[in-house]
Amino acid sequence: MDDIIYLDNAATSFPKPEEVYLAIEKTMRTQGSNPGRSGHKGAIEAGRVIFEARENISKLIEIEDPLRIAFTMNATEALNTAIKGLLKKGDHVVTTSMEHNSVLRPIKALENIGVSSTIVQCSERGELDPKKIEKAVRKNTKLIAVTHASNITGTIMPINEIGVIAKKTGVCFLVDAAQTAGSYDVKVNENNIELLAIPGHKGLLGPQGTGVLYIAEGVEVTQLKEGGTGSRSEDLLQPTFMPDKYESGTPNTLGIAGLSKGVEYILNKGIENIRDHEESLAEHFILELEKIEEVKIYGLRKRGKHAAVVSINIGDEDSAEISYILDKVYNIATRAGLHCAPLAHKTIGTFEQGTVRFSFGIFNTHEEVERVIRAIKEITSQL
Ligand SMILES: Cc1ncc(COP(=O)(O)O)c(C=O)c1O
């Protein structure tokens, strides 16, 4: 992918730190045994690789017990496990209009078994008023499920205030950190987060096929799958302890080895330095875009109020067409359309047109931002 300007980090980060590629190859070549099954040296070594990943992620989200972390395939699997595993017939869930379908679809699917929901409307800029969350809580509310930052506008949600509401009302709090983990602090204890879903392949810089679900002690979540865990083989029932309860089948050891190195990279570099770099790129981009009359920028524009995700349109042009031109003519990778968040697009008024989304990562540069701005100016002048 030479000379590509990759601005689709909200979908999956690219490239990864060198250490991630090396760890995946090393694990595949030398440590490729099945962890937690056999007792030979290779299996023990593979188990160590996985435990180290749990420890690194625990450091990142500031929890004491690495065993409260279950590995999943992606954030979607983590969110489905949390939502479907927690909610039962008669329960109510509060969520927002800025959520990804990975939150909204499992919630909607649960209507079939008698789970009801309130979708709190966010502002046209994607902002969430925490008071509306509190107002939506009922006697039978079991869960508040909120994204930490929108994948369309990047708008950062007030998770600390919602955490206080969750604690006060005794409702379980699920945070979807798909667009923030790795760049923003997601302190689970400080924010009263009891369930946390994270993709391994976005801000954590691991490979695709990795994700994380944190479950606080005392929160009862039924597993989605049963099967081989390598533990309690004598038992026909699924183990009830973490993380085995949620980790059926041979794990993605190679992916988790890469994810571990991605998280190590973040811990060494410092989350605040990564955030600072990504935010400065987004700020630079927005300041230059604001000078182009035909460009409409969605969401909050102020630095610190949004993650490094910027959605735009050029006049009434089809977002897919603009994204296609950026890719084909300028080698700039973006994502167009509805980004799996239809209600978010209804909220910001772009359900028909979609948006062109530019999402910055740790390896993007200001020089790339300049090139993208030049490309947008050129496209705009030719319309
Ligand atoms: C806010 C949000 N939640 C959930 C997801 C789903 O993540 P994954 O692709 O890891 O399943 C995404 C992916 O784009 C997202 O942006």
Side-chain angles (χ1 to χ4, degrees), residues 44-60:
I44 290 167
E45 180 57 16
R48 191 197 57 76
V49 166
I50 291 192
F51 191 73
E52 195 177 276
R54 279 192 227 282
E55 286 186 320
N56 285 334
I57 294 161
S58 303
K59 277 185 214 150
L60 195 76

Side-chain angles (χ1 to χ4, degrees), residues 10-11 74-77 79 100 102 147 149 151 176 178-179 199 201-202:
N74 42 45
T76 302
E77 193 181 32
L79 289 163
H100 192 274
S102 298
T147 188
N151 66 316
D176 171 2
Q179 295 301 335
H201 61 101
K202 301 189 201 246

Side-chain angles (χ1 to χ4, degrees), residues 9-12 72-79 98-103 147-152 176-180 197-202 209-211 335 339-341 357:
N9 291 283
T12 203
T72 61
M73 272 285 290
N74 42 45
T76 302
E77 193 181 32
L79 289 163
M98 292 305 283
E99 302 308 310
H100 192 274
N101 270 342
S102 298
V103 169
T147 188
H148 191 187
S150 159
N151 66 316
I152 312 296
D176 171 2
Q179 295 301 335
T180 52
I198 310 179
H201 61 101
K202 301 189 201 246
T210 58
R335 182 170 169 194
H339 316 94
C340 303
R357 183 182 72 181

Side-chain angles (χ1 to χ4, degrees), residues 2-6 325-333 371:
D2 277 353
D3 209 29
I4 276 195
I5 300 180
Y6 183 83
I325 297 170
L326 283 168
D327 179 38
K328 190 96 182 149
V329 181
Y330 299 97
N331 250 352
I332 297 168
R371 276 174 57 198

